[in-house]
Amino acid sequence: MKIEFSDWLQIQETLARYNRHLDDRDWNAFGDVFTEDAEASYEAGKVLRGRAAIVEYVKGVEEAGFRVTEHLGSTFTFDLIEPDRVRTEVPGLGFGVTVEGSEVDILFVGYRYADEIVRDGDRWRIRQRTYSPVFTSHGPHAAPPVPE
């Protein structure tokens, strides 16, 4: 089986939109990268079921802890399972900034996503996502003020 180049580009776009909408905190667009029946695991042993549950969980983590975030997905690999279903692996780096008074703390995380992405109508969407942390580092840093 082969995948069309246009499909490969759409899969890449889905993965990029996940990060962009997450960092922009555009929760409607973020949810749109998932199928309605998607499943995601961001913590060992905890599976979120359904687009709404995934969005609420991620929104809660992002808005409760970080003033700003930046997620950078790297070059991904994928295996075609069926004509409308692929398995991807995406390494990435995430930065989260917290500010308390004049203290700036930056969380730096290396991670890997294992995904199943499916054709859903005229789009490719994430049906299953598993987050695996690779490393974490954080601490106070001298940094210019973070914009409100």
Side-chain angles (χ1 to χ4, degrees), residues 59-133:
K59 179 180 177 181
V61 169
E62 292 292 308
E63 291 184 350
F66 300 106
R67 172 87 57 91
V68 295
T69 59
E70 187 67 32
H71 292 82
L72 308 169
S74 183
T75 304
F76 69 97
T77 59
F78 74 90
D79 297 306
L80 184 62
I81 300 169
E82 296 172 359
D84 293 333
R85 185 169 70 121
V86 299
R87 187 170 294 130
T88 65
E89 192 168 293
V90 184
L93 299 172
F95 303 86
V97 177
T98 59
V99 178
E100 199 167 310
S102 63
E103 293 292 317
V104 175
D105 187 71
I106 300 174
L107 174 67
F108 178 46
V109 180
Y111 57 85
R112 190 171 300 266
Y113 287 126
D115 301 321
E116 180 179 296
I117 300 178
V118 297
R119 189 187 314 271
D120 186 27
D122 63 347
R123 304 238 342 248
W124 287 86
R125 289 189 168 91
I126 300 168
R127 186 206 274 149
Q128 190 171 40
R129 170 155 272 197
T130 302
Y131 166 86
S132 298

